[in-house]
Amino acid sequence: MNVRGIVLACGNSQSPLITDGDRIEVREVPSRPGKAEVDPVFADLGDGRLIVHGTDADLNAVVLRLLRTERLADVAVGYVPVDPDSAAAALWGIPTDAGRAVDLALSGDPDRVSLVRDDVGGVLLGRGSLGPVRGVGYADDTVVLRGQASRIDVTPDPDNGLGLLVSVVHKRLFMTKSRTTEGRAFQLGCLPVEVRIDGFAHPRPMNKWTWYRHTEDLRLVRGLQ
């Protein structure tokens, strides 16, 4: 499969391997682009793919615009990560080499994958973390935390199970223990805690937080070339 795409080069991320050509058009946008930068691109996309070249936080911002403009079903999203340690790339099996990632974004098959939302209007594409944390947390009806933990990590389920995976991490002097639970939703009530979402921090500590599977999936290009 070979299709056309528009690449959003976020911040100063553009690789010399990614240039305008027959198959792609490159548009430079700021880091974590918003409505003013992303929405006009939809009118020019046609049946092409939207390819994000940037960080997990940039991918998060672009997918949020797809959600808010109700285009999740219409637009296939490719990702060309700039960070070799991208949690989203590792989760979804996307290469971190720019050339291979562009080829995949243009030639791979889009899969419908779980889109995770939160209760303050955001989304989660790679990894969300809270901690250190003291409180009570649930994955659906299962108690996953009652007391304290070093942190809680939440990711979408890459195998398209119930929707998300919740890992409660306890660090000790000479060991780290982690327990992972599957669910459609995660809810936490706690003492104020720092929340990190796809590499960026929520602007203020929170004493409650929810992540849950959205009713509509994301069309993410991660298939075989």
Side-chain angles (χ1 to χ4, degrees):
M1 178 186 296
N2 289 289
V3 298
R4 176 181 172 274
I6 294 179
V7 176
L8 297 181
C10 303
N12 297 315
S13 63
Q14 187 173 348
S15 165
L17 297 175
I18 302 175
T19 58
D20 287 333
D22 293 338
R23 298 174 65 195
I24 60 174
E25 174 188 348
V26 179
R27 298 192 184 182
E28 296 184 6
V29 296
S31 297
R32 294 182 61 193
K35 177 179 180 179
E37 296 84 22
V38 178
D39 289 17
V41 175
F42 298 145
D44 301 330
L45 197 58
D47 59 357
R49 291 179 175 176
L50 186 61
I51 301 169
V52 180
H53 182 36
T55 64
D56 289 0
D58 298 325
L59 177 64
N60 181 296
V62 172
V63 171
L64 182 60
R65 292 310 311 158
L66 288 175
L67 171 67
R68 291 186 174 175
T69 57
E70 300 183 348
R71 287 181 167 88
L72 288 171
D74 303 326
V75 178
V77 179
Y79 184 35
V80 182
V82 296
D83 182 358
D85 296 321
S86 161
L91 183 73
W92 300 115
I94 295 170
T96 55
D97 173 79
R100 291 175 57 211
V102 170
D103 286 344
L104 176 62
L106 291 172
S107 304
D109 295 324
D111 291 338
R112 295 189 180 276
V113 304
S114 301
L115 178 62
V116 174
R117 300 182 63 179
D118 60 47
D119 57 349
V120 296
V123 295
L124 177 66
L125 277 301
R127 181 173 60 238
S129 295
L130 309 102
V133 58
R134 184 178 184 89
V136 179
Y138 292 84
D140 296 342
D141 295 328
T142 302
V143 177
V144 295
L145 176 70
R146 189 180 298 276
Q148 61 186 25
S150 301
R151 72 174 190 275
I152 298 174
D153 293 335
V154 176
T155 70
D157 184 351
D159 296 323
N160 265 356
L162 293 178
L164 52 81
L165 301 175
V166 181
S167 298
V168 179
V169 180
H170 297 274
K171 289 186 177 180
R172 301 290 186 260
L173 185 58
F174 297 109
M175 63 182 297
T176 298
K177 294 177 62 177
S178 177
R179 184 180 73 253
T180 299
T181 306
E182 184 182 15
R184 292 191 64 86
F186 166 71
Q187 295 178 296
L188 176 71
C190 60
L191 296 177
V193 63
E194 179 183 353
V195 184
R196 295 194 62 83
I197 309 144
D198 289 332
F200 66 92
H202 187 70
R204 64 185 184 279
M206 301 295 288
N207 59 14
K208 61 180 180 177
W209 194 264
T210 299
W211 273 302
Y212 61 96
R213 182 174 186 168
H214 184 46
T215 54
E216 193 171 6
D217 291 337
L218 172 68
R219 296 180 63 212
L220 181 68
V221 182
R222 61 164 183 158
L224 296 177
Q225 299 181 49

